C-alpha cells in the first residue's frame, strides 16, 4: 500500500493510505486525495504504476516538484517529498504487518511428533 503524509499546509499530519492505483490528487471532489489548499489545481497530479515503478504525472498546467526539482513526470521512491502548491507530501509505503505464525508452527511440531510416534510404532512391530 502507498502512503501519502501531508507535511505542510492546513491538512498537515493527515495520512492517506491507498490500497490500489492510480491515485488522483487535486482540489476536485472526485479525487482519491482531496486537498483544498492554495496552489492545488482541481486535477493536480496522478500517481500510477508502470511495470515495477511508481510514477507521478503532473496535470496540465499544474506545478509538481519532487525533492525540490520541478517535474512533469518522474519515478517515485520511498521517502520522496512531493510539493503541490502550498502542500508538501511525503511519499512512502505502509509497513507490512506480519501475521503471527505461532499456531501454524505448533501444528507442524505436533504433526512431526505424530510422524515420529508412527515410525517408532512400525519399527517396534517389525522387531
Amino acid at each position: 500500500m502507498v502512503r501519502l503524509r501531508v507535511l505542510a499546509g492546513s491538512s498537515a499530519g493527515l495520512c492517506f493510505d491507498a490500497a490500489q492505483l492510480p491515485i488522483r490528487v487535486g482540489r476536485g471532489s472526485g479525487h482519491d486525495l482531496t486537498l483544498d489548499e492554495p496552489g492545488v489545481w482541481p486535477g493536480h497530479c496522478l500517481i500510477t504504476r508502470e511495470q515495477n515503478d511508481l510514477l507521478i504525472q503532473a496535470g496540465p498546467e499544474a506545478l509538481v516538484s519532487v525533492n525540490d526539482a520541478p517535474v512533469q513526470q518522474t519515478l517515485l521512491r520511498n521517502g520522496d517529498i512531493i510539493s503541490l502548491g502550498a502542500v508538501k507530501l511525503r511519499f512512502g509505503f505502509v509497513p507490512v504487518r506480519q501475521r503471527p505464525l505461532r499456531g501454524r508452527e505448533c501444528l507442524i511440531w505436533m504433526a512431526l511428533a505424530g510422524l515420529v510416534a508412527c515410525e517408532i510404532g512400525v519399527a517396534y512391530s517389525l522387531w
Side-chain angles (χ1 to χ4, degrees):
M1 279 197 337
V2 172
R3 174 173 285 169
L4 295 171
R5 180 182 300 270
V6 180
L7 301 176
S10 64
S11 302
L14 173 78
C15 272
F16 173 76
D17 295 337
Q20 57 186 345
L21 297 170
I23 303 170
R24 292 167 188 81
V25 181
R27 185 181 285 258
S29 61
H31 294 85
D32 300 308
L33 177 57
T34 303
L35 298 168
D36 191 16
E37 301 280 342
V40 177
W41 291 65
H44 205 101
C45 67
L46 181 69
I47 298 174
T48 60
R49 180 178 173 195
E50 189 173 295
Q51 295 176 347
N52 291 331
D53 297 323
L54 293 176
L55 300 172
I56 186 166
Q57 299 171 342
E61 300 181 18
L63 300 175
V64 174
S65 296
V66 175
N67 299 324
D68 294 326
V71 297
Q72 186 60 36
Q73 177 178 333
T74 192
L75 295 175
L76 287 173
R77 294 185 182 8
N78 195 25
D80 280 348
I81 304 296
I82 303 167
S83 300
L84 315 170
V87 177
K88 288 194 182 282
L89 305 170
R90 173 171 284 134
F91 172 83
F93 299 101
V94 176
V96 178
R97 267 189 24 202
Q98 185 175 2
R99 294 186 298 179
L101 300 175
R102 185 163 285 170
R104 196 176 297 172
E105 184 180 355
C106 183
L107 287 174
I108 289 172
W109 281 110
M110 287 177 18
L112 285 173
L115 181 64
V116 168
C118 288
E119 287 179 359
I120 290 172
V122 168
Y124 182 73
S125 69
L126 292 177
W127 194 352

